Amino acid sequence: MSKAVKHPSFEQKIFVLDTSVILYDHNAFKNFQEHDVAIPIQVLEELDNMKNGNETRNAEARSFIRLMDNTSGDRIINEWIPFNGSKSGRFKVVMDNKPDKLDAEEIFGKGKFDHRILNAALSLKQEFPEKRVILVSKDICLRLKAKSLELYAEDYETGKIKNVDELYTGKATISNVSDEVFKTLKADGSIDANGLVLTDDSANHFCILKGKRKSAVTYYSAKESRIFTIAPRTIFNISPRNEEQSFAINALLNPDIKLVTIQGKAGTGKTLLAIASALEQRKDYRQIYVTRPIVALSNKDIGFLPGDIKSKIDPYMAPIWDNLRFIKEQYNNDPKMQGRIDDFVKTEKIVITPLAYIRGRTLSKIFFIVDEAQNLTPHEIKTIISRAGEDTKIVFTGDIYQIDTPYLDAESNGLSYLIDKAKDNELYAHITLGKGERSELANLANDLL
């Protein structure tokens, strides 16, 4: 009789967490069900070095340190401590141990925390040969190094989108629409959607209706279960150049929509439309915040740059200023309006600043635009939205395929996560912009290179 083969999913495992995982999600070490979790001592040292500051990674470091302290209580943390619950595993801090056989520091070089973290995992593998030891890291290179040392290595999957190519686009085409529908839309401006075959009737989205000879650009409201016509609308002298931009403007101006995401490649008009829409509605909001996360050059903080704080952050905010300058240029024949736009900045009606500089504020009656949102983690996105007060509208723009941070990708970044999770909420609207409108030359670069 052959022996029963134990399914890999029921194996006892020890997950070794890298610092990058903690900075992505400080609750990570509680998300491994019945398995054990090990934190190398070098991870605590790196978190200690990151605990001060206003960046989200600093807040994540502080949160994890507090979480470990609360979970461990008065127990020694270099010994296994059970999580709460009978189906939960245990956790411990792994000291700076060197394995007997493979030594990552001897192979890859000394003086790097990553190699000592690898040694911690190798030591656990040696100590517990009956268990599968898995290094969990957002750092692709570290995972490859682990695999070269015969260690199992995985990305942290929580918050990842399964199939980014099928991510919600916020738009659909409905064919074979009867002439009667177009007649009603023209007369009333809307129609009950129950007679139409919708791809998704639980989510707000934009629809292009096509009949034998007619077509219409519309918006479907899931709350009302109605289709509304959309007419091209100029905002602060910026006119939509295609149907997708009309969709975006509609979402940005809709008072019933409090959360908007706009995804698309460079040159599709994401940031420009968001800023122009905010200015168009400036009387409805106390302030307009336009912000973006700072992705430090060569992984260095902005402190290494010369000059005062303004000169340090200006290079990061330049794309936003460029968009505001473009809007101002639409009023070349109206010096009075150009002066008013300058006054918006001087009086802080519109505030352009890095995301870290407004973290912690209560966003009441604010039109809040977060550019380059693909460089945020899901937890950062959640933190921003949770700051929203009454009468606030939040807009996230970005390109999920243009990631500037080393530990995020198209599947794990916060913008993709938000689009996937929020699509069925009645307060939310999304549109993916596909057509570049910057210039023919820019389109050539995006399409061919």
Side-chain angles (χ1 to χ4, degrees), residues 135-210:
L135 176 69
V136 184
S137 176
K138 302 297 295 179
D139 186 336
I140 298 175
C141 191
L142 185 59
R143 296 202 303 268
L144 291 175
K145 287 182 178 181
K147 291 175 183 178
S148 73
L149 298 174
E150 300 181 10
L151 273 172
Y152 292 102
E154 297 178 357
D155 193 0
Y156 181 62
E157 296 294 329
T158 301
K160 292 194 74 170
I161 305 305
K162 292 183 179 179
N163 191 345
V164 73
D165 293 330
E166 296 180 4
L167 192 63
Y168 177 63
T169 64
K171 56 189 175 183
T173 299
I174 302 176
S175 303
N176 301 319
V177 178
S178 68
D179 289 341
E180 190 65 29
V181 169
F182 292 107
K183 183 178 179 181
T184 303
L185 280 173
K186 185 176 181 180
D188 302 335
S190 68
I191 190 171
D192 192 298
N194 291 328
L196 297 172
V197 180
L198 299 173
T199 55
D200 188 352
D201 60 1
S202 62
N204 297 326
H205 61 277
F206 299 94
C207 304
I208 298 176
L209 307 184
K210 290 188 175 182

Coordinates of all heavy atoms in Angstrom, one line a residue, residues 135-210:
L135 N 10.5 32.6 2.7 CA 10.8 34.0 2.8 C 9.8 34.8 2.1 O 9.5 34.5 0.9 CB 12.2 34.3 2.3 CG 12.6 35.8 2.3 CD1 12.8 36.3 3.7 CD2 13.8 36.1 1.5
V136 N 9.1 35.7 2.8 CA 8.1 36.6 2.1 C 8.7 38.0 2.0 O 9.1 38.6 3.0 CB 6.8 36.6 3.0 CG1 5.7 37.4 2.2 CG2 6.3 35.2 3.2
S137 N 8.8 38.5 0.8 CA 9.4 39.8 0.5 C 8.7 40.5 -0.7 O 8.4 39.8 -1.7 CB 10.9 39.6 0.3 OG 11.5 40.9 0.0
K138 N 8.7 41.8 -0.7 CA 8.2 42.6 -1.8 C 9.4 42.9 -2.7 O 9.2 43.4 -3.8 CB 7.6 43.9 -1.4 CG 6.4 43.8 -0.5 CD 5.2 43.1 -1.1 CE 4.6 43.8 -2.2 NZ 3.5 43.1 -2.9
D139 N 10.6 42.5 -2.3 CA 11.8 42.8 -3.0 C 12.1 41.6 -4.0 O 12.5 40.5 -3.5 CB 13.0 43.0 -2.0 CG 14.3 43.4 -2.7 OD1 14.5 43.1 -3.9 OD2 15.1 44.0 -2.0
I140 N 12.0 41.8 -5.3 CA 12.2 40.7 -6.2 C 13.6 40.1 -6.2 O 13.8 38.9 -6.2 CB 11.8 41.2 -7.7 CG1 10.4 41.6 -7.8 CG2 12.1 40.1 -8.7 CD1 10.0 42.2 -9.1
C141 N 14.6 41.0 -6.1 CA 15.9 40.6 -6.1 C 16.2 39.7 -4.8 O 17.0 38.7 -4.9 CB 16.9 41.8 -6.1 SG 18.6 41.4 -6.4
L142 N 15.7 40.1 -3.7 CA 15.9 39.3 -2.5 C 15.3 37.9 -2.6 O 15.8 36.9 -2.2 CB 15.3 40.0 -1.2 CG 15.6 39.4 0.1 CD1 17.1 39.2 0.4 CD2 15.0 40.2 1.2
R143 N 14.1 37.9 -3.2 CA 13.5 36.6 -3.5 C 14.3 35.7 -4.4 O 14.4 34.5 -4.2 CB 12.1 36.8 -4.1 CG 11.1 37.5 -3.2 CD 9.6 37.2 -3.5 NE 9.3 37.5 -4.9 CZ 8.8 38.7 -5.3 NH1 8.6 39.7 -4.4 NH2 8.4 38.9 -6.5
L144 N 14.9 36.3 -5.4 CA 15.8 35.5 -6.3 C 17.0 35.0 -5.6 O 17.4 33.9 -5.8 CB 16.2 36.4 -7.5 CG 15.1 36.7 -8.5 CD1 15.6 37.7 -9.5 CD2 14.5 35.5 -9.1
K145 N 17.6 35.8 -4.7 CA 18.7 35.4 -3.9 C 18.3 34.2 -3.0 O 19.1 33.3 -2.8 CB 19.3 36.5 -3.1 CG 20.0 37.6 -3.9 CD 20.6 38.7 -2.9 CE 21.4 39.7 -3.7 NZ 21.9 40.8 -2.9
A146 N 17.1 34.3 -2.4 CA 16.7 33.2 -1.5 C 16.5 31.9 -2.3 O 17.0 30.9 -1.8 CB 15.3 33.6 -0.9
K147 N 16.0 32.0 -3.5 CA 15.8 30.8 -4.3 C 17.1 30.2 -4.7 O 17.2 29.0 -4.8 CB 14.9 31.1 -5.5 CG 13.5 31.5 -5.2 CD 12.7 31.9 -6.4 CE 11.3 32.3 -6.1 NZ 10.5 32.7 -7.3
S148 N 18.1 31.1 -4.9 CA 19.4 30.5 -5.3 C 20.1 29.8 -4.1 O 21.0 29.0 -4.3 CB 20.4 31.7 -5.7 OG 20.8 32.5 -4.7
L149 N 19.6 30.1 -2.9 CA 20.1 29.4 -1.7 C 19.2 28.2 -1.3 O 19.2 27.7 -0.2 CB 20.2 30.4 -0.5 CG 21.2 31.5 -0.7 CD1 21.1 32.5 0.4 CD2 22.6 31.0 -0.9
E150 N 18.3 27.8 -2.2 CA 17.4 26.7 -2.0 C 16.4 27.0 -0.9 O 16.0 26.1 -0.1 CB 18.2 25.4 -1.6 CG 19.1 24.9 -2.8 CD 19.9 23.7 -2.4 OE1 19.5 23.0 -1.4 OE2 20.8 23.3 -3.1
L151 N 16.0 28.3 -0.8 CA 15.0 28.7 0.1 C 13.7 29.0 -0.7 O 13.8 29.5 -1.8 CB 15.3 30.0 0.8 CG 16.1 29.9 2.1 CD1 16.6 31.3 2.5 CD2 15.3 29.3 3.2
Y152 N 12.5 28.6 -0.2 CA 11.3 29.0 -0.8 C 11.1 30.5 -0.6 O 11.5 31.1 0.4 CB 10.1 28.3 -0.3 CG 10.1 26.8 -0.6 CD1 10.5 25.9 0.4 CD2 9.7 26.3 -1.8 CE1 10.5 24.5 0.1 CE2 9.7 25.0 -2.1 CZ 10.1 24.1 -1.2 OH 10.1 22.7 -1.5
A153 N 10.6 31.2 -1.6 CA 10.4 32.7 -1.5 C 9.1 33.1 -2.2 O 8.8 32.5 -3.3 CB 11.6 33.4 -2.1
E154 N 8.4 34.0 -1.6 CA 7.1 34.4 -2.2 C 6.9 35.9 -2.0 O 7.5 36.5 -1.1 CB 5.9 33.7 -1.5 CG 5.9 32.2 -1.6 CD 4.7 31.6 -0.9 OE1 4.0 32.4 -0.2 OE2 4.5 30.4 -0.9
D155 N 6.1 36.5 -2.9 CA 5.7 37.8 -2.8 C 4.5 37.8 -1.7 O 3.9 36.8 -1.5 CB 5.2 38.4 -4.1 CG 4.9 39.9 -4.1 OD1 5.2 40.5 -3.1 OD2 4.5 40.4 -5.1
Y156 N 4.3 39.0 -1.1 CA 3.2 39.1 -0.2 C 1.9 39.3 -1.0 O 1.8 40.3 -1.7 CB 3.4 40.3 0.8 CG 2.4 40.5 1.8 CD1 2.1 39.5 2.8 CD2 1.7 41.7 1.9 CE1 1.1 39.7 3.7 CE2 0.7 41.9 2.8 CZ 0.4 40.9 3.7 OH -0.6 41.1 4.7
E157 N 1.0 38.4 -0.9 CA -0.1 38.4 -1.8 C -1.3 39.2 -1.4 O -2.2 39.6 -2.2 CB -0.6 36.9 -2.0 CG 0.4 36.0 -2.7 CD 0.7 36.4 -4.1 OE1 -0.2 37.0 -4.8 OE2 1.8 36.2 -4.6
T158 N -1.4 39.5 -0.1 CA -2.6 40.3 0.4 C -2.6 41.7 -0.3 O -1.6 42.4 -0.3 CB -2.5 40.5 1.9 OG1 -2.5 39.2 2.5 CG2 -3.7 41.3 2.4
G159 N -3.7 42.0 -0.8 CA -3.8 43.3 -1.5 C -3.5 43.3 -3.0 O -3.7 44.3 -3.7
K160 N -3.1 42.1 -3.5 CA -2.8 42.0 -4.9 C -4.0 41.6 -5.8 O -4.9 40.9 -5.3 CB -1.7 40.9 -5.2 CG -0.4 41.2 -4.6 CD 0.7 40.3 -5.1 CE 1.1 40.6 -6.6 NZ 2.3 39.9 -7.0
I161 N -4.1 42.2 -7.0 CA -5.2 41.9 -7.9 C -4.8 40.7 -8.7 O -3.7 40.5 -9.2 CB -5.4 43.1 -8.8 CG1 -5.6 44.4 -8.0 CG2 -6.6 42.8 -9.8 CD1 -6.8 44.3 -7.0
K162 N -5.8 39.7 -8.8 CA -5.5 38.5 -9.5 C -5.2 38.6 -11.0 O -4.3 38.0 -11.5 CB -6.7 37.5 -9.3 CG -6.8 37.0 -7.8 CD -8.0 36.0 -7.7 CE -8.1 35.6 -6.2 NZ -9.2 34.6 -6.1
N163 N -6.0 39.4 -11.7 CA -5.8 39.5 -13.1 C -6.0 41.0 -13.5 O -7.1 41.5 -13.7 CB -6.8 38.7 -13.9 CG -6.5 38.6 -15.4 OD1 -5.6 39.4 -15.9 ND2 -7.0 37.7 -16.1
V164 N -4.8 41.7 -13.5 CA -4.9 43.1 -13.8 C -5.4 43.5 -15.2 O -5.9 44.6 -15.4 CB -3.5 43.8 -13.5 CG1 -2.5 43.4 -14.6 CG2 -3.6 45.3 -13.3
D165 N -5.2 42.5 -16.1 CA -5.7 42.8 -17.5 C -7.2 42.8 -17.6 O -7.8 43.4 -18.5 CB -5.2 41.7 -18.4 CG -3.7 41.8 -18.6 OD1 -3.1 42.9 -18.5 OD2 -3.0 40.7 -18.8
E166 N -7.9 42.3 -16.5 CA -9.4 42.3 -16.5 C -9.9 43.3 -15.5 O -11.0 43.3 -15.1 CB -9.9 40.9 -16.2 CG -9.6 39.9 -17.3 CD -10.1 38.5 -16.9 OE1 -10.8 38.4 -15.9 OE2 -9.9 37.6 -17.7
L167 N -9.0 44.2 -15.1 CA -9.4 45.3 -14.1 C -10.5 46.1 -14.6 O -10.6 46.4 -15.8 CB -8.2 46.1 -13.8 CG -8.3 47.1 -12.6 CD1 -8.5 46.3 -11.3 CD2 -7.1 47.9 -12.5
Y168 N -11.4 46.5 -13.8 CA -12.6 47.3 -14.1 C -12.2 48.6 -14.8 O -11.3 49.3 -14.4 CB -13.3 47.6 -12.8 CG -14.5 48.5 -12.9 CD1 -15.6 48.2 -13.6 CD2 -14.5 49.8 -12.3 CE1 -16.8 49.0 -13.7 CE2 -15.6 50.6 -12.3 CZ -16.7 50.2 -13.0 OH -17.8 51.0 -13.1
T169 N -12.8 48.8 -16.0 CA -12.4 50.0 -16.8 C -13.4 51.2 -16.6 O -13.1 52.3 -17.0 CB -12.4 49.7 -18.3 OG1 -13.7 49.2 -18.7 CG2 -11.3 48.5 -18.5
G170 N -14.6 50.9 -16.1 CA -15.6 51.9 -15.9 C -16.4 52.3 -17.1 O -17.2 53.2 -17.1
K171 N -16.2 51.5 -18.2 CA -17.0 51.8 -19.4 C -17.4 50.5 -20.1 O -16.8 49.5 -19.9 CB -16.1 52.6 -20.3 CG -14.7 52.0 -20.7 CD -13.8 53.0 -21.4 CE -12.4 52.3 -21.6 NZ -11.5 53.2 -22.3
A172 N -18.4 50.6 -20.9 CA -18.9 49.4 -21.7 C -19.6 49.9 -22.9 O -20.1 51.1 -23.0 CB -19.9 48.6 -20.8
T173 N -19.8 49.0 -23.9 CA -20.5 49.3 -25.1 C -21.7 48.4 -25.2 O -21.6 47.2 -25.0 CB -19.6 49.1 -26.3 OG1 -18.5 50.0 -26.3 CG2 -20.4 49.4 -27.6
I174 N -22.8 49.0 -25.4 CA -24.1 48.2 -25.6 C -24.6 48.3 -27.0 O -24.8 49.4 -27.5 CB -25.2 48.7 -24.6 CG1 -24.7 48.6 -23.1 CG2 -26.4 47.9 -24.7 CD1 -25.7 49.2 -22.1
S175 N -24.6 47.2 -27.7 CA -25.0 47.1 -29.1 C -26.5 46.8 -29.3 O -27.2 46.4 -28.3 CB -24.1 46.1 -29.8 OG -22.8 46.5 -29.7
N176 N -26.9 46.9 -30.5 CA -28.3 46.6 -30.9 C -29.4 47.3 -30.0 O -30.4 46.7 -29.6 CB -28.5 45.1 -30.8 CG -27.5 44.3 -31.6 OD1 -27.3 44.7 -32.8 ND2 -27.0 43.2 -31.1
V177 N -29.1 48.6 -29.8 CA -30.1 49.4 -29.0 C -31.1 49.9 -30.0 O -30.9 50.3 -31.1 CB -29.3 50.6 -28.3 CG1 -30.3 51.4 -27.6 CG2 -28.3 50.1 -27.4
S178 N -32.4 49.8 -29.5 CA -33.5 50.1 -30.4 C -33.6 51.6 -30.6 O -33.2 52.4 -29.7 CB -34.8 49.6 -29.8 OG -35.1 50.3 -28.6
D179 N -34.3 52.0 -31.7 CA -34.5 53.5 -31.9 C -35.3 54.1 -30.9 O -35.2 55.3 -30.6 CB -35.1 53.6 -33.3 CG -34.2 53.3 -34.4 OD1 -33.0 53.3 -34.2 OD2 -34.7 53.0 -35.6
E180 N -36.2 53.3 -30.2 CA -37.1 53.8 -29.2 C -36.3 54.3 -28.0 O -36.7 55.4 -27.4 CB -38.1 52.7 -28.8 CG -39.2 53.2 -27.9 CD -40.2 54.2 -28.5 OE1 -40.3 54.1 -29.8 OE2 -40.7 55.1 -27.9
V181 N -35.2 53.7 -27.7 CA -34.4 54.1 -26.5 C -33.7 55.4 -26.9 O -33.7 56.3 -26.0 CB -33.3 53.0 -26.3 CG1 -32.2 53.6 -25.3 CG2 -33.9 51.7 -25.7
F182 N -33.2 55.6 -28.1 CA -32.6 56.9 -28.5 C -33.6 58.0 -28.5 O -33.3 59.1 -28.1 CB -32.0 56.7 -29.8 CG -30.7 55.9 -29.9 CD1 -30.8 54.6 -30.4 CD2 -29.5 56.3 -29.3 CE1 -29.7 53.8 -30.5 CE2 -28.4 55.5 -29.3 CZ -28.5 54.2 -29.9
K183 N -34.8 57.7 -28.9 CA -35.9 58.7 -28.9 C -36.2 59.1 -27.5 O -36.4 60.3 -27.2 CB -37.2 58.1 -29.6 CG -38.3 59.0 -29.7 CD -39.5 58.4 -30.4 CE -40.7 59.3 -30.6 NZ -41.8 58.7 -31.2
T184 N -36.3 58.2 -26.5 CA -36.6 58.5 -25.1 C -35.5 59.3 -24.5 O -35.7 60.3 -23.8 CB -36.9 57.3 -24.3 OG1 -37.9 56.5 -24.9 CG2 -37.2 57.6 -22.9
L185 N -34.2 58.9 -24.8 CA -33.1 59.6 -24.3 C -33.1 61.1 -24.8 O -32.7 62.0 -24.0 CB -31.8 58.9 -24.7 CG -31.4 57.7 -23.9 CD1 -30.2 57.0 -24.5 CD2 -31.1 58.1 -22.4
K186 N -33.4 61.3 -26.0 CA -33.4 62.6 -26.6 C -34.4 63.5 -26.0 O -34.2 64.7 -25.7 CB -33.5 62.5 -28.1 CG -33.4 63.9 -28.8 CD -33.5 63.8 -30.3 CE -33.4 65.1 -31.0 NZ -33.5 65.0 -32.5
A187 N -35.6 62.9 -25.7 CA -36.7 63.7 -25.2 C -36.6 63.9 -23.7 O -36.8 65.0 -23.2 CB -38.0 62.9 -25.4
D188 N -36.1 62.9 -22.9 CA -36.1 63.0 -21.4 C -34.7 63.2 -20.8 O -34.6 63.5 -19.7 CB -36.8 61.8 -20.8 CG -38.2 61.6 -21.3 OD1 -38.8 62.6 -21.7 OD2 -38.7 60.4 -21.3
G189 N -33.7 62.8 -21.6 CA -32.3 62.9 -21.0 C -31.9 61.7 -20.2 O -30.7 61.6 -19.9
S190 N -32.9 60.8 -20.0 CA -32.5 59.5 -19.3 C -33.6 58.5 -19.6 O -34.7 58.8 -20.1 CB -32.5 59.8 -17.7 OG -33.8 60.1 -17.2
I191 N -33.2 57.3 -19.2 CA -34.2 56.2 -19.4 C -33.9 55.1 -18.4 O -32.8 54.9 -17.9 CB -34.0 55.6 -20.8 CG1 -35.1 54.6 -21.2 CG2 -32.6 54.9 -21.0 CD1 -35.1 54.2 -22.6
D192 N -35.0 54.3 -18.0 CA -34.8 53.2 -17.1 C -34.0 52.2 -17.7 O -34.1 51.8 -18.9 CB -36.2 52.6 -16.8 CG -36.2 51.7 -15.6 OD1 -35.5 50.6 -15.7 OD2 -36.8 51.9 -14.6
A193 N -33.0 51.7 -17.0 CA -32.0 50.7 -17.5 C -32.5 49.3 -17.5 O -31.7 48.4 -18.1 CB -30.7 50.8 -16.8
N194 N -33.6 49.0 -17.0 CA -34.1 47.6 -16.9 C -34.3 47.0 -18.2 O -34.1 45.8 -18.4 CB -35.4 47.5 -16.1 CG -35.1 47.9 -14.6 OD1 -34.1 47.6 -14.1 ND2 -36.1 48.5 -14.0
G195 N -34.5 47.7 -19.3 CA -34.8 47.2 -20.6 C -33.5 47.0 -21.4 O -33.5 46.4 -22.5
L196 N -32.3 47.4 -20.8 CA -31.1 47.2 -21.5 C -30.2 46.1 -20.9 O -30.3 45.8 -19.7 CB -30.3 48.5 -21.5 CG -30.9 49.7 -22.1 CD1 -30.2 51.0 -21.8 CD2 -31.0 49.5 -23.6
V197 N -29.4 45.5 -21.7 CA -28.6 44.4 -21.3 C -27.2 45.0 -20.9 O -26.4 45.3 -21.7 CB -28.4 43.3 -22.4 CG1 -27.5 42.2 -21.9 CG2 -29.7 42.8 -22.9
L198 N -27.0 45.1 -19.5 CA -25.8 45.7 -19.0 C -24.8 44.6 -18.6 O -25.2 43.6 -18.1 CB -26.2 46.6 -17.8 CG -27.1 47.8 -18.0 CD1 -27.5 48.4 -16.7 CD2 -26.5 48.8 -18.9
T199 N -23.6 44.9 -18.8 CA -22.5 43.9 -18.4 C -22.4 43.9 -16.9 O -22.0 42.9 -16.3 CB -21.2 44.3 -19.0 OG1 -20.9 45.7 -18.7 CG2 -21.2 44.2 -20.5
D200 N -22.7 45.0 -16.2 CA -22.6 45.1 -14.7 C -23.6 46.1 -14.2 O -23.4 47.3 -14.4 CB -21.2 45.4 -14.3 CG -21.0 45.3 -12.8 OD1 -21.9 45.1 -12.1 OD2 -19.8 45.5 -12.4
D201 N -24.7 45.6 -13.6 CA -25.7 46.5 -13.2 C -25.6 47.0 -11.7 O -26.4 47.7 -11.2 CB -27.1 45.9 -13.4 CG -27.3 44.6 -12.6 OD1 -26.4 44.2 -11.9 OD2 -28.4 44.0 -12.7
S202 N -24.5 46.5 -11.1 CA -24.2 46.9 -9.7 C -23.2 48.0 -9.5 O -23.0 48.4 -8.4 CB -23.8 45.6 -8.9 OG -22.5 45.2 -9.4
A203 N -22.6 48.4 -10.6 CA -21.5 49.4 -10.6 C -21.9 50.6 -11.4 O -22.4 50.5 -12.6 CB -20.2 48.8 -11.0
N204 N -21.6 51.8 -10.9 CA -21.7 53.0 -11.8 C -20.7 52.8 -12.9 O -19.5 52.5 -12.7 CB -21.3 54.3 -11.0 CG -22.3 54.5 -9.9 OD1 -23.5 54.3 -10.0 ND2 -21.8 55.1 -8.8
H205 N -21.1 53.1 -14.1 CA -20.2 53.1 -15.3 C -20.7 53.9 -16.5 O -21.9 54.2 -16.5 CB -19.8 51.7 -15.7 CG -21.0 50.8 -16.1 ND1 -21.8 50.2 -15.3 CD2 -21.4 50.5 -17.4 CE1 -22.7 49.5 -16.0 NE2 -22.5 49.7 -17.3
F206 N -19.9 54.1 -17.4 CA -20.2 54.8 -18.6 C -20.5 53.9 -19.7 O -19.8 52.9 -19.9 CB -19.1 55.8 -18.9 CG -18.9 56.8 -17.8 CD1 -17.9 56.6 -16.9 CD2 -19.6 58.0 -17.7 CE1 -17.7 57.5 -15.9 CE2 -19.4 58.9 -16.7 CZ -18.4 58.6 -15.8
C207 N -21.5 54.2 -20.5 CA -21.9 53.3 -21.6 C -22.0 54.1 -23.0 O -22.4 55.2 -23.0 CB -23.3 52.8 -21.3 SG -23.5 51.9 -19.8
I208 N -21.5 53.4 -24.0 CA -21.7 53.9 -25.4 C -22.8 53.0 -25.9 O -22.6 51.8 -26.1 CB -20.4 53.8 -26.2 CG1 -19.4 54.7 -25.6 CG2 -20.7 54.2 -27.6 CD1 -18.0 54.6 -26.3
L209 N -24.0 53.6 -26.2 CA -25.1 52.9 -26.8 C -25.0 52.9 -28.3 O -24.8 54.0 -28.9 CB -26.4 53.5 -26.3 CG -26.6 53.6 -24.8 CD1 -28.0 54.1 -24.5 CD2 -26.4 52.3 -24.1
K210 N -25.2 51.8 -28.9 CA -25.1 51.8 -30.4 C -26.3 51.1 -31.0 O -26.7 50.0 -30.6 CB -23.8 51.0 -30.8 CG -22.5 51.8 -30.5 CD -21.3 51.1 -31.1 CE -20.1 52.0 -30.9 NZ -18.9 51.4 -31.6

